[in-house]
Amino acid sequence: MRLIKIGVPVVLILMLAAFLWYTWPKQIDMTLEGIQYQLGEEHADYARPVQVRIEGEIQRRLTKPPIFTGKMDTGEVNGVNPFQQDIPHLKVRLSRSDPDWLQSIRLDQGQIQRRMIGSLYSTPTMNQLTITLMHDNQGEETGWSSSDGFMISAPAHTREEALEISKALMKDTLDGYELK
C-alpha cells in the first residue's frame, strides 16, 4: 500500500515531466545548403545553389505535426528573394504528407499585402525540406506544376540529390506521379 502511495505520484510526475520536455519549444538556428531547380527532363540543366537560413523554434505536439515559428530565408536567387517580407515570422506545420503554405507578408502604404511563396514539405526537425515555389526564376508568379514547377530542396549539392529529397518528402501527396 505504501508503494502505491509513493509510486503513483512519482509516475505521474515523470509523465508530466516527459510531456513538458517533449512539447517544450526547441530553438533552431541553421543554414542548409540546397538547390533551386525546375522540374521536367527538358529543364534538367537548371539547377542553382541556394542557402536556406532557418531561425526560430519548433514546437512538437502529441497528435499533430510540429509547428515552426520563425524566419526562413533563401537570399536572392536570380535577383529575387521569395521570402522578402516586412513581417518576418512564419508559422507553418512541418509535415511530409500535409504541406503548409508559405506566404510573404509586406506592408504597402499601410495595407497588408500577401503573396504566395509556395508549399513547405519538411521532416519534423527541418533537417530536410522541399519548397514548391509559386514563381519562376525571374520572380513572376506562375503557380506550380509537378511537370515544370520550380523547387528548392535542402540539404543537397546536386539536382539529383535535391530531386530525391523532394520525392521522399512528397511521396504521400504525389499519388504515384513521378517527379523528373
Side-chain angles (χ1 to χ4, degrees):
M1 192 60 128
R2 184 167 191 260
L3 182 61
I4 292 175
K5 285 183 179 181
I6 294 172
V8 170
V10 168
V11 168
L12 290 175
I13 289 171
L14 289 174
M15 287 175 59
L16 179 62
F19 172 78
L20 290 174
W21 174 82
Y22 184 79
T23 59
W24 198 265
K26 309 293 187 270
Q27 293 299 314
I28 181 171
D29 186 2
M30 66 180 167
T31 300
L32 298 173
E33 300 293 328
I35 297 290
Q36 179 185 8
Y37 59 102
Q38 187 174 7
L39 294 172
E41 292 175 345
E42 64 275 11
H43 304 291
D45 58 336
Y46 180 80
R48 309 285 187 267
V50 65
Q51 287 188 335
V52 181
R53 178 89 177 107
I54 303 166
E55 184 180 334
E57 64 183 30
I58 296 174
Q59 183 165 13
R60 295 183 292 186
R61 304 181 295 172
L62 288 180
T63 60
K64 297 179 182 177
I67 291 189
F68 168 75
T69 305
K71 299 176 187 178
M72 185 181 289
D73 191 15
T74 57
E76 287 193 8
V77 178
N78 294 331
V80 177
N81 183 350
F83 287 92
Q84 183 179 11
Q85 53 191 14
D86 296 331
I87 301 171
H89 287 284
L90 297 170
K91 186 171 185 175
V92 293
R93 284 174 290 133
L94 303 177
S95 176
R96 296 173 189 229
S97 59
D98 186 21
D100 210 350
W101 291 105
L102 297 172
Q103 51 184 313
S104 172
I105 301 172
R106 298 187 56 90
L107 296 174
D108 184 18
Q109 298 177 358
Q111 299 290 327
I112 294 177
Q113 303 292 323
R114 295 177 188 261
R115 180 174 165 260
M116 292 307 300
I117 296 169
S119 298
L120 174 69
Y121 295 81
S122 174
T123 59
T125 58
M126 294 187 83
N127 63 340
Q128 283 189 333
L129 59 86
T130 287
I131 302 168
T132 61
L133 296 172
M134 300 294 245
H135 63 272
D136 65 14
N137 63 354
Q138 280 82 38
E140 298 295 319
E141 289 195 33
T142 61
W144 186 82
S145 166
S146 58
S147 62
D148 66 354
F150 287 86
M151 312 275 283
I152 294 176
S153 296
H157 295 91
T158 66
R159 183 181 189 279
E160 291 73 27
E161 287 177 10
L163 199 53
E164 288 305 314
I165 290 170
S166 294
K167 288 177 184 178
L169 292 175
M170 297 174 72
K171 70 179 176 185
D172 293 340
T173 57
L174 289 175
D175 199 27
Y177 186 80
E178 182 76 23
L179 296 178
K180 298 177 186 177

